[in-house]
Amino acid sequence: MTRYLISDHHFDHDNIIGYCDRPFTSVGEMHDVLLSRFHETVDPDDTLYHLGDVAMAMRDGEKTGEWLGRLSDSAVLVRGNHDAALDPESVDYPVVSSCVLEAGEYRFYCTHRPEDTPEWWNGWVLHGHHHNNHPKEYPFVRTDEKRVNVGVELLDYRPVALPSIVRLLEACEERGRRFVRDRAAADELLRTAT
């Protein structure tokens, strides 16, 4: 069993294609790609930590539950601003405002908005919310701020395994890298790391 992370699918959100310059011609195409890349990557016995904004469901929480159910039977939802209508009592998975994960020597505070991280937290932060709209401030990895942005746009629209994040952070430390723009840059860094 592997733990996977992702954020900001925004299913049923027509405007997200233009807002985040997603490479899709329609919402239907976006749905097909998001679902297929998810299921190509994650096995049924893996656990998904979705860091918010599953769907564009500000008024209809059932949509969030339906879409998350199409992704995984074993999920934890860290509620995002677009998941606000979801009633946690109506679903069979945990719905939390944040959680902490550990892997190797690393501790990760998982939240939708990095701005919601408690001031006392001194470990790494896994988050979404910022998509690919502020690439210098919120790239995939920013080591000087100890942040990892798991928004779909930065991950080539597929979840990332927690052990892969740990390997990437170790490679960044080894190479003195301050930031990693996206999954393609991360793959290149990992190919050249010792």
Side-chain angles (χ1 to χ4, degrees), residues 90 105 109 111 125 163 190:
S90 70
E105 302 290 318
Y109 186 86
T111 183
V125 176
L190 288 172

Side-chain angles (χ1 to χ4, degrees), residues 1-2 32 41 53 62 129 133:
M1 179 190 83
T2 302
D32 290 344
T41 306
D53 290 0
E62 287 183 25
H129 188 65
N133 294 315

Side-chain angles (χ1 to χ4, degrees), residues 163-181:
S164 296
I165 291 173
V166 168
R167 283 194 308 278
L168 179 58
L169 296 180
E170 290 169 346
C172 285
E173 185 177 311
E174 175 185 306
R175 294 286 179 95
R177 291 286 296 267
R178 187 174 151 247
F179 70 93
V180 177
R181 182 181 65 255

Side-chain angles (χ1 to χ4, degrees), residues 61-132:
E62 287 183 25
K63 290 277 187 195
T64 296
E66 289 170 13
W67 280 110
L68 196 55
R70 290 180 73 180
L71 293 174
S72 177
D73 290 331
S74 179
V76 174
L77 174 61
V78 175
R79 191 191 300 254
N81 52 298
H82 289 283
D83 307 313
L86 178 68
D87 174 11
E89 302 297 321
S90 70
V91 293
D92 295 331
Y93 50 83
V95 178
V96 298
S97 60
S98 64
C99 65
V100 174
L101 297 177
E102 294 185 12
E105 302 290 318
Y106 293 87
R107 294 186 75 223
F108 299 97
Y109 186 86
C110 301
T111 183
H112 180 63
R113 293 170 29 98
E115 299 85 354
D116 294 338
T117 304
E119 288 184 25
W120 52 263
W121 181 258
N122 64 359
W124 283 84
V125 176
L126 300 176
H127 70 88
H129 188 65
H130 290 284
H131 299 269
N132 56 347

